[in-house]
Amino acid sequence: MIEFDEDKQEKKIQDLQKNEEEELAQMLASRFTLPYVNLSITPVNSDAIRLIEEDKARAAKMIVYNKLDKRLEIAILSPKNEDSQTVIHELEERGYKAEIAVTSQESLNKGWDAYKDLSFASETKAGSLEVSNEEISALLKKVKSIEDIKKYITDILSQSKGFRISKIFEIILAGAIANNASDIHLEPEEDYVRLRYRLDGVLNNVINFDRETYSLLLSRIKLLSGMKLNIKNDAQDGRLSVKINDMDIEIRTSILPGAYSESVVLRILNPKSISVPLESLGIDEKLLRVINKVVARPNGMLLTTGPTGS
């Protein structure tokens, strides 16, 4: 006798409905010559969704799911939704460039779940390092090499503590940006703290300095990155940005507990250094031609007509 599994059949029906919904979203995207995105398999950037409050995003049937400098990737339910267009226009007035993709309601629900991990109540001015254009530009001209950074940090260490912490941090950042470093590592040891830059994929020693200075510097980094100062035994992630002339450089901060103290990694997302031509990535020539064809299409989508594609 064949037993009817009601739960199993219900799941099959739900899966069919989800697939149908995604197919409809793809068709709508094709109709308006826009890309399609599935947020069930696409990661949502926590920094991006902070740009719009959850209630506003839900009302407009949209979500900002990725952010790189001033470029935003936005998923919307319908290109004809006036509320969506109003919010996008507001973001563009704030200086952002919006790249629109069509998604499904199920996909939006999945994306909106990311708001549960945010706490807008704790949002402050943390996350924005305000350094004058003149000062940071002057530092960029001075710290052109590792030896320059060593010299300036050594000189600053002899000054008063209250002043030197901010100055040291500015020099560390300026030196990393001037040398096109991708990461800054601050690694505490038993008797000293090591500063290293990742240059061309390789970690390079810059200078060792005292743990007392590092303790103050660590608090400064936490404060600027929007982290909690009293948490020392758990990992924390944050962000800050540095404005140089008309360019915003995003910096992701990670702090991990270690044997001697918390270590810090600052990942620098410099638009000038991360904008790399496809040709320089070592991609096979045949594959590169296929990628260029896809990018050249109006909606940037690789279309398929069956199991083997076309």
Side-chain angles (χ1 to χ4, degrees):
M1 180 178 177
I2 300 176
E3 295 184 1
F4 180 77
D5 191 330
E6 185 176 350
D7 292 338
K8 189 174 182 180
Q9 292 301 316
E10 180 66 24
K11 186 178 184 306
K12 284 184 178 181
I13 293 172
Q14 290 177 356
D15 289 342
L16 286 171
Q17 289 174 339
K18 289 179 182 178
N19 291 335
E20 183 178 354
E21 189 177 352
E22 297 305 323
E23 289 175 1
L24 288 172
Q26 292 180 56
M27 290 173 61
L28 184 62
S30 179
R31 177 183 173 187
F32 285 91
T33 323
L34 290 170
Y36 155 81
V37 64
N38 185 344
L39 297 177
S40 297
I41 57 176
T42 302
V44 175
N45 186 316
S46 60
D47 293 331
I49 62 174
R50 286 184 185 276
L51 293 172
I52 305 176
E53 294 85 353
E54 181 178 359
D55 292 344
K56 192 172 185 178
R58 288 180 179 273
K61 300 291 184 181
M62 63 180 293
I63 186 171
V64 183
Y65 66 92
N66 197 21
K67 175 180 180 288
L68 180 59
D69 193 26
K70 288 293 185 178
R71 182 174 66 84
L72 305 180
E73 294 182 23
I74 301 174
I76 62 176
L77 186 64
S78 171
K80 290 187 175 182
N81 188 305
E82 293 183 0
D83 290 336
S84 299
Q85 297 303 322
T86 299
V87 175
I88 292 169
H89 181 67
E90 291 174 356
L91 290 170
E92 290 175 340
E93 287 186 333
R94 289 162 59 185
Y96 292 103
K97 181 180 178 182
E99 296 182 4
I100 311 301
V102 177
T103 192
S104 66
Q105 183 63 58
E106 179 68 25
S107 189
L108 273 179
N109 292 338
K110 184 70 175 178
W112 289 333
D113 284 343
Y115 278 103
K116 297 175 182 178
D117 298 327
L118 299 183
S119 176
F120 283 99
S122 63
E123 282 288 281
T124 63
K125 288 196 69 176
S128 178
L129 174 62
E130 297 178 357
V131 182
S132 68
N133 289 338
E134 295 80 8
E135 185 172 356
I136 195 69
S137 297
L139 284 172
L140 288 172
K141 292 176 182 177
K142 295 175 182 177
V143 288
K144 293 294 185 181
S145 67
I146 299 297
E147 290 302 319
D148 291 336
I149 299 165
K150 287 182 181 179
K151 177 181 179 301
Y152 279 100
I153 291 180
T154 301
D155 291 343
I156 295 297
L157 285 173
S158 63
Q159 300 177 13
S160 61
K161 294 179 183 178
F163 170 80
R164 73 186 189 185
I165 299 304
S166 296
K167 199 70 177 177
I168 287 174
F169 189 45
E170 291 168 8
I171 292 171
I172 289 173
L173 287 179
I177 294 169
N179 287 276
N180 292 321
S182 60
D183 302 345
I184 301 170
H185 289 248
L186 291 163
E187 304 163 342
E189 300 292 341
E190 185 174 3
D191 300 317
Y192 62 90
V193 176
R194 181 189 299 112
L195 168 64
R196 298 202 288 176
Y197 288 162
R198 187 179 297 280
L199 303 171
D200 297 324
V202 179
L203 282 172
N204 293 264
N205 291 333
V206 178
I207 192 173
N208 297 338
F209 57 94
D210 63 282
R211 289 174 56 87
E212 183 181 1
T213 298
Y214 177 66
S215 177
L216 297 173
L217 182 60
L218 178 61
S219 296
R220 174 86 172 144
I221 292 171
K222 283 184 174 182
L223 184 64
L224 288 169
S225 302
M227 299 182 187
K228 295 182 179 179
L229 297 176
N230 61 333
I231 293 181
K232 299 181 182 296
N233 297 320
D234 293 320
Q236 293 192 74
D237 290 311
R239 57 174 288 275
L240 59 92
S241 63
V242 180
K243 187 174 182 62
I244 302 175
N245 297 320
D246 296 328
M247 180 176 62
D248 288 326
I249 297 178
E250 297 287 335
I251 299 174
R252 304 294 171 84
T253 308
S254 296
I255 293 183
L256 296 170
Y260 300 106
S261 181
E262 297 167 282
S263 61
V264 178
V265 178
L266 301 168
R267 293 179 174 84
I268 303 171
L269 304 179
N270 188 338
K272 288 186 176 180
S273 60
I274 64 178
S275 297
V276 182
L278 285 173
E279 292 77 7
S280 64
L281 295 179
I283 301 174
D284 180 78
E285 186 176 345
K286 184 177 179 181
L287 179 58
L288 183 61
R289 286 198 298 269
V290 174
I291 294 173
N292 284 329
K293 286 181 181 179
V294 174
V295 173
R297 290 178 176 175
N299 59 3
M301 294 175 62
L302 180 60
L303 304 178
T304 60
T305 57
T308 57
S310 63

